[in-house]
Amino acid sequence: MSEHILQDRERALENAFFARHNEALLAKLREADQTRSRKEALAAASGITDDAVLDHLVSLNLGAQGVAALGLVPMVLVAWADGALDPKEKAAVQDAAREAGIDREAEARVLLESWLNAPPKAEMAEAWRGYVRAVAAGLAPEGRAALHRETIGRARRVAEAAGGFLGLGSKVSEAEERVLAKLDEAFAG
């Protein structure tokens, strides 16, 4: 009889141990799902695809709107660099946003359209540079390079969209080059 009681208690102890162990595993799985969902939301809002960069953005607990601005502002600033928004540049910004998946996030889409309807204020560029410096400071060099490549690469494609005069000369205007150089500075350190 006492052997039977001992076995019952051993089984109860094992069940309690594994129940706690399973709870911990389930909690980890739920957390991983939440992190994955946040990464997917941030990727959709910003167009950023690098996992290390997305992991860093999740760890900073950044919102989708701020991260959307991270990906959209460079394109908008370049498009308005000469004070007017060329239809080809507008289309290039919209295409780049769509290709990056940014247009799937309703708030990002509304934000982008508002920026394409009126020239951005000078404070936007400075705020973006400060934001990028803060985000990039915590990234490994590879992550910083990936963030730079994705955000500035899209901005450069927008700058090249209007082309030169009759397809001749540089595809990027001097004003656009100045804006691109200022955007690059934010990643320097």
Side-chain angles (χ1 to χ4, degrees):
M1 186 75 169
S2 67
E3 187 176 316
H4 180 64
I5 293 173
L6 183 61
Q7 287 176 344
D8 285 346
R9 292 190 185 211
E10 180 183 31
R11 209 169 297 119
L13 177 64
E14 287 175 352
N15 288 341
F17 171 78
F18 286 111
R20 281 195 192 138
H21 184 69
N22 287 343
E23 273 182 39
L25 287 175
L26 284 172
K28 284 183 182 178
L29 287 173
R30 283 187 199 109
E31 185 178 322
D33 281 346
Q34 288 175 338
T35 299
R36 190 175 318 110
S37 295
R38 291 217 45 222
K39 277 177 65 172
E40 289 169 0
L42 294 179
S46 67
I48 295 169
T49 58
D50 187 88
D51 275 337
V53 174
L54 290 168
D55 286 337
H56 180 63
L57 297 175
V58 167
S59 75
L60 292 174
N61 204 26
L62 298 176
Q65 290 177 327
V67 176
L70 181 71
L72 295 172
V73 167
M75 294 187 297
V76 171
L77 292 173
V78 166
W80 284 100
D82 59 1
L85 185 64
D86 181 282
K88 290 180 185 176
E89 289 172 321
K90 182 176 183 176
V93 170
Q94 291 168 326
D95 289 346
R98 194 172 18 266
E99 287 170 14
I102 294 170
D103 69 326
R104 286 177 280 181
E105 189 70 33
E107 293 86 3
R109 192 174 43 251
V110 170
L111 186 64
L112 178 61
E113 288 305 316
S114 72
W115 287 342
L116 293 175
N117 290 326
K121 294 186 167 120
E123 297 85 22
M124 182 193 289
E126 191 53 44
W128 182 86
R129 284 191 296 273
Y131 188 58
V132 166
R133 282 186 198 107
V135 168
L139 288 170
E142 310 83 47
R144 186 178 299 137
L147 181 61
H148 178 266
R149 185 176 50 254
E150 290 185 23
T151 55
I152 303 303
R154 282 193 296 270
R156 182 160 290 283
R157 284 191 299 279
V158 168
E160 293 170 349
F165 180 68
L166 299 176
L168 303 172
S170 175
K171 288 187 168 213
V172 180
S173 73
E174 288 181 30
E176 291 165 335
E177 283 293 352
R178 282 192 300 275
V179 169
L180 287 166
K182 290 292 246 179
L183 295 170
D184 270 336
E185 288 174 9
F187 290 95

